[in-house]
Amino acid sequence: MPTESSVGFVGIGRMGLPIARHLLQAGVPVLGYKRSSLQEFVAAGGEAMASPAEVFARARVVFTCLPDDAAIETVINGPYGFLSSNARDRIVVDFSTTRLAARMRFGELLRAGGSTMLDCPISGIPPVVERRKAVFLVSGDQAAFDAVERFLRIMSENVIYLGPFGSGTKAKYIANYLLTVHVAAAAEALAMAERSGLDVAQALETFSQGAGGSFQLTQRGARMVSGMYRPAPATLSDLTRDLGFIGEFAESVGLQSTLLATATSLVSRTIDLGFGDCDPAAVLEAVRTQLNISSSSHARK
């Protein structure tokens, strides 16, 4: 029988582990499952389960934080997935970022099995999650949200309920669209400052304080100036997958975004240069390469 005091957690990786730790530190018992080692989770006070089905059977509220659609499909509908337990009346809160169509299908699967899914992607990287500053974009059944809100408030100071199921994923797409475009603009601005002979560190401070300042300019700009692209809690390769989702979503609402196309191309060129495992600040290297090509072309004329 499920216990009301415990919650379940499936997918306790880079994002999931700090979230689980917040719950454990607040005195919430957490029953966890992960395909690989759960050593850090158990060391933090969590209880390891043998399968997603066991988590689902023993906890009425279950959080999931998984890498892709295929992983979520397996956890929900696989041989040892949630639905194989035959448990009902559960609330699954999914923190993953997926294709919108897949998200809607997962919600339907759980609903057909007598449970409810909340769509709750996270805007923020692991260090931000650790500081409880990430933004949790929740959507779905209002009563289900009311039932889990106290847990979400333990995880973050920034929990926003957005209404109908799927709204959280749509908001996450748009948030990552803004992130990518702002990083690309920051890279081009600092490349212009560098090429024009300005002191780049001073220029960054100046721009950050002015009307053109942004969170990405302040945060990623410092990495651009220092060239410290590694280690990266979130990489360009991670971002590429999301850009595919964002492009599909933009087209579905009739938006042909030249800004998104340009920023996506810049990310792709940066990865081709060997910076796929780097922070998005590394797009500066693609801008520099393009400037060098352009300068060489002008010099030959």
Side-chain angles (χ1 to χ4, degrees):
M1 294 293 292
T3 59
E4 295 297 334
S5 61
S6 299
V7 300
F9 208 122
V10 176
I12 307 173
R14 287 187 303 163
M15 293 285 277
L17 183 60
I19 295 171
R21 281 178 174 151
H22 289 321
L23 291 167
L24 291 164
Q25 289 164 1
V28 179
V30 182
L31 313 176
Y33 172 80
K34 181 185 175 188
R35 286 178 297 181
S36 54
S37 172
L38 277 169
Q39 183 176 352
E40 290 183 277
F41 169 69
V42 172
E47 184 178 351
M49 299 287 104
S51 68
E54 185 177 4
V55 174
F56 201 67
R58 291 188 54 184
R60 204 173 292 281
V61 174
V62 180
F63 301 101
T64 54
C65 191
L66 298 158
D68 52 40
D69 295 357
I72 301 172
E73 176 79 35
T74 299
V75 164
I76 292 176
N77 209 27
Y80 304 100
F82 294 160
L83 297 180
S84 72
S85 73
N86 294 318
R88 301 176 67 85
D89 193 29
R90 302 295 190 263
I91 300 173
V92 176
V93 184
D94 185 47
F95 299 136
S96 317
T97 300
T98 70
R99 281 188 167 82
L100 183 59
R103 182 64 117 220
M104 305 306 285
R105 190 171 68 82
F106 297 143
E108 287 295 334
L109 280 171
L110 284 165
R111 185 159 39 252
S115 293
T116 302
M117 182 181 230
L118 287 175
D119 168 38
C120 184
I122 300 170
S123 182
I125 57 179
V128 178
V129 173
E130 289 174 0
R131 298 195 301 271
R132 299 184 60 251
K133 298 295 186 182
V135 182
F136 284 56
L137 303 164
V138 198
S139 64
D141 181 76
Q142 176 77 60
F145 170 70
D146 292 342
V148 304
E149 183 179 7
R150 64 188 179 96
F151 297 122
L152 296 175
R153 298 288 176 191
I154 291 170
M155 301 170 190
S156 178
E157 298 174 4
N158 305 306
V159 176
I160 303 172
Y161 177 69
L162 295 167
F165 187 84
S167 300
T169 288
K170 295 172 185 177
K172 175 64 183 291
Y173 290 165
I174 297 169
N176 276 12
Y177 160 80
L178 288 167
L179 179 156
T180 308
V181 170
H182 288 173
V183 170
E188 291 189 344
L190 292 182
M192 281 192 285
E194 182 178 67
R195 184 55 64 95
S196 68
L198 291 174
D199 179 304
V200 181
Q202 184 183 50
L204 172 60
E205 183 178 358
T206 301
F207 302 152
S208 297
Q209 294 175 2
S214 70
F215 179 84
Q216 295 302 324
L217 176 62
T218 302
Q219 298 298 311
R220 257 74 195 221
R223 283 182 176 260
M224 292 177 190
V225 171
S226 68
M228 296 293 290
Y229 307 137
R230 300 181 181 94
T235 69
L236 281 166
S237 294
D238 295 334
L239 182 59
T240 298
R241 184 201 63 157
D242 287 1
L243 288 173
F245 299 160
I246 296 165
E248 291 174 6
F249 174 65
E251 288 182 10
S252 75
V253 298
L255 177 64
Q256 300 296 321
S257 173
T258 55
L259 288 174
L260 179 60
T262 300
T264 300
S265 176
L266 187 60
V267 169
S268 296
R269 292 202 304 273
T270 309
I271 292 172
D272 290 343
L273 290 170
F275 294 94
D277 64 336
C278 291
D279 185 88
V283 297
L284 176 62
E285 300 303 324
V287 177
R288 282 173 172 159
T289 299
Q290 185 60 42
L291 278 172
N292 290 336
I293 292 171
S294 177
S295 295
S296 297
S297 176
H298 283 300
R300 289 195 298 269
K301 290 181 180 180

